[in-house]
Amino acid sequence: FEQRVVVPPADAAGWLPSPEPGVHRHRLDRIGDEVARATSIVRYDAGSRFARHIHGGGEELLVLDGIFSDEHGDQPAGTYVRNPPGSSHAPFSRDGCTLFVKLWQFAAGDDEPVRIDTTDPQLMSTPEGAPTGNGTRTVDIPLESSGGMSGRQRVRAARGRWHAGQEATRAD
C-alpha cells in the first residue's frame, strides 16, 4: 500500500487457464505452484464451475462484475467474501463474472467467514476532508494478509463497473 497500483489489461495471452474449463486467471503475484500464495484476477465464463475444493490457507475475493455463486448463495458485483483457512465450496457462475482473488494470505487464527455487500449505502462513508460527490466511494473492508496488514482497512473505488486498468487505492 505504499505504491500506486494499476492492473494491466489482460490480452488473450495474459489469461492463463485454471484446472477447470472456463475459468481463467490473470496473475498479479504468485509465490509457489498451483496451491500457492497468490493474487489474481479470475474470470469465470458463463456456465463455468470449479469442483468442490478446500482453501487450506483461506481465500478473499471481491466480485468485480457479474455474479459469483456457490452453495452460500449468489454474490453480485461489489460483494466481498472471506473464506477462512479450512473452508470449502463449489463455486460457479451462471452468466460469467470477474473476481479479484487473494489466496493463502490470512493471519494465524483468523477463521471467521465474511460476506459484505460493499454497495450497501449503510457502509458508505466519506473520508474526513474529502469533497462529496467526487465519483468515489470509501468502504471499510476487513482485509487480511500474512504480510503484516490486518484489521479493517479503507478501500476507495470508483463508482460503476470495474474494468482492467482501473485504479484501486487505499484510502488512508
Side-chain angles (χ1 to χ4, degrees):
F1 289 117
E2 296 175 8
Q3 300 178 30
R4 176 176 180 251
V5 176
V6 176
V7 177
D11 58 15
W15 290 103
L16 301 172
S18 76
E20 299 290 340
V23 181
H24 311 277
R25 300 178 286 204
H26 180 60
R27 291 182 181 166
L28 303 176
D29 182 54
R30 188 172 200 86
I31 301 171
D33 295 319
E34 183 57 37
V35 176
R37 178 184 166 124
T39 304
S40 306
I41 303 294
V42 177
R43 185 184 71 211
Y44 278 70
D45 293 341
S48 61
R49 60 185 53 250
F50 222 95
R52 174 166 295 283
H53 57 279
I54 296 174
H55 287 289
E59 171 191 56
E60 290 181 278
L61 65 90
L62 178 65
V63 182
L64 301 174
D65 66 34
I67 298 175
F68 174 77
S69 302
D70 64 13
E71 62 273 21
H72 303 290
D74 296 332
Q75 315 301 325
T79 304
Y80 170 76
V81 176
R82 289 177 61 226
N83 295 315
S87 64
S88 69
H89 66 152
F92 61 94
S93 183
R94 290 175 195 89
D95 298 320
C97 65
T98 306
L99 314 170
F100 175 78
V101 179
K102 291 172 49 180
L103 301 172
W104 287 87
Q105 298 183 42
F106 274 64
D110 185 357
D111 59 359
E112 182 182 346
V114 174
R115 282 178 170 58
I116 299 172
D117 176 2
T118 67
T119 65
D120 181 346
Q122 301 264 343
L123 296 175
M124 300 301 167
S125 63
T126 302
E128 189 173 323
T132 59
N134 62 0
T136 64
R137 66 176 183 236
T138 303
V139 180
D140 290 327
I141 298 177
L143 299 176
E144 298 297 332
S145 172
S146 59
M149 180 179 71
S150 64
R152 296 184 70 82
Q153 303 293 323
R154 288 197 136 182
V155 177
R156 181 179 297 145
R159 284 192 178 105
R161 184 178 165 142
W162 179 89
H163 56 86
Q166 180 175 331
E167 181 177 352
T169 60
R170 181 172 167 181
D172 290 304

